Amino acid sequence: MRAADISDQITTVLVTEEDIREKLAEIAARVAVDYAGKDLLLVGVLKGAVMVMADFARALPMVVPMDWMAVSSYGSGTKSSGVVQIRKDLDTDIHDKHVLIVEDIIDSGLTLSWLLENFASRGAASVEVFALLRKPEAAKVHVESKYVGFDIPTEFVIGYGLDYDEKYRNLRDVAVLAPHVYS
Ligand code: IMP
Ligand code: MG
């Protein structure tokens, strides 16, 4: 669905499907150069990164395996709990691999800083981050993200994989959820 289909449930469209497509092509071109000749593994963080992984991986002009990790730091609310729990671990041994974590959004940064440390301890050759979205003013810990799609304001957003209570992931655009939906 597009933002227009749920205009009564959102306040602002921050990033459109077209913006995302252009940005993914741009970042894919950079990644192709940066990882030329290297053993790259994409690791997506379920479930939010499903859309960005699907489109980003296909934008890459090279053979690249993907793996998935499921962690939880959010319940059904709109605030980070800071507690990270592994729900599904990697299937791949990342020792000596160049890992690029593909994430939907960096909010507090707690999930990614935990993942970065976890992956480093498994002996990865390198670990970098590609986050489609980032809320710079919401950071509780600093996360070095090599590739960032869009910086957005500190508001609860939905769409393109991002959910509220498991809904809205299939929205093609990224929009601010109207407060009346969750209050
Ligand atoms: P963190 O606060 O950076 O640890 O973010 C943890 C996870 O919460 C992200 O990977 C998202 O899946 C989710 N999240 C953070 N901000 C939002 C939001 O605005 N909408 C929906 N999910 C979010
Ligand atoms: Mg996520």
Side-chain angles (χ1 to χ4, degrees):
M1 64 188 175
R2 294 299 305 256
D5 297 315
I6 51 161
S7 54
D8 57 325
Q9 293 157 66
I10 60 180
T11 56
T12 326
V13 178
L14 294 180
V15 191
T16 66
E17 178 181 26
E18 293 76 16
D19 297 333
I20 294 170
R21 192 180 311 126
E22 270 175 41
K23 185 66 77 177
L24 291 184
E26 200 182 297
I27 293 177
R30 281 175 57 199
V31 167
V33 171
D34 293 351
Y35 288 91
K38 286 188 178 153
D39 204 359
L40 172 64
L41 172 71
L42 299 179
V43 172
V45 185
L46 293 167
K47 304 172 199 168
V50 163
M51 305 298 176
V52 54
M53 175 69 112
D55 288 340
F56 175 67
R58 285 180 293 179
L60 284 172
M62 62 220 247
V63 175
V64 62
M66 38 175 124
D67 200 349
W68 301 91
M69 185 104 178
V71 297
S72 63
S73 57
Y74 266 56
S76 58
T78 59
K79 290 258 148 55
S80 183
S81 68
V83 179
V84 178
Q85 191 191 349
I86 296 184
R87 290 190 175 169
K88 184 222 166 282
D89 204 354
L90 297 172
D91 298 326
T92 318
D93 178 4
I94 61 171
H95 189 84
D96 287 343
K97 295 249 165 66
H98 292 277
V99 176
L100 180 58
I101 302 176
V102 177
E103 250 292 36
D104 50 1
I105 191 166
I106 306 178
D107 184 8
S108 69
L110 293 167
T111 309
L112 271 173
S113 71
W114 185 90
L115 270 179
L116 283 168
E117 232 169 79
N118 183 281
F119 285 5
S121 75
R122 302 189 202 197
S126 70
V127 187
E128 299 288 354
V129 173
F130 164 34
L132 182 71
L133 305 166
R134 179 173 62 185
K135 298 180 190 169
E137 281 143 39
K140 288 195 187 131
V141 287
H142 174 74
V143 170
E144 198 62 48
S145 186
K146 190 164 183 184
Y147 312 95
V148 175
F150 305 91
D151 279 326
I152 60 168
T154 308
E155 290 187 88
F156 193 79
V157 294
I158 46 138
Y160 202 69
L162 290 153
D163 73 305
Y164 170 66
D165 208 7
E166 293 304 325
K167 290 179 296 228
Y168 305 111
R169 293 194 198 274
N170 64 318
L171 173 63
R172 290 179 179 270
D173 316 283
V174 174
V176 177
L177 185 62
H180 75 79
V181 177
Y182 57 84
S183 60

